[in-house]
Amino acid sequence: MARIHLIQKDEAGFPLRLLFRIAQRVTKELTGKAILAAPVRAHAHSMGLFWGMSFMESAQGSASTVPARLKALASLRVSTLVGCPF
């Protein structure tokens, strides 16, 4: 159970719904499932935080020094080590 209320699609305004769709599309490309992760919905409370996290994730994803599959594998391994549910 999250400690912060997660913004649902029906609670979001038009710009946020559009950003949610983009996040779902990216998640589907990476995982094969069109889900909207809890951190994305939690960051939506503050648009500054949401944009900052979006740009950071985009920059990390576009870095080409490490192959994308290796980045995904490292992310999965770290999340299992720290007990992250997503």
Side-chain angles (χ1 to χ4, degrees):
M1 181 74 183
R3 293 182 183 189
I4 187 171
H5 172 71
L6 302 177
I7 302 291
Q8 301 298 323
K9 290 180 190 177
D10 57 346
E11 298 172 341
F14 176 73
L16 196 53
R17 282 195 314 259
L18 181 64
L19 293 171
F20 278 178
R21 268 190 251 142
I22 293 169
Q24 275 184 315
R25 186 175 346 126
V26 170
T27 303
K28 186 174 183 178
E29 289 174 7
L30 292 173
T31 65
K33 297 178 183 178
I35 59 171
L36 190 58
V40 174
R41 297 185 318 182
H43 294 149
H45 282 285
S46 168
M47 286 308 288
L49 177 64
F50 188 84
W51 280 108
M53 293 300 292
S54 299
F55 285 127
M56 183 193 70
E57 293 281 341
S58 175
Q60 289 175 347
S62 65
S64 60
T65 54
V66 177
R69 289 179 55 93
L70 185 57
K71 283 191 268 187
L73 181 61
S75 174
L76 179 64
R77 180 64 178 148
V78 169
S79 65
T80 57
L81 285 173
V82 299
C84 182
F86 44 87

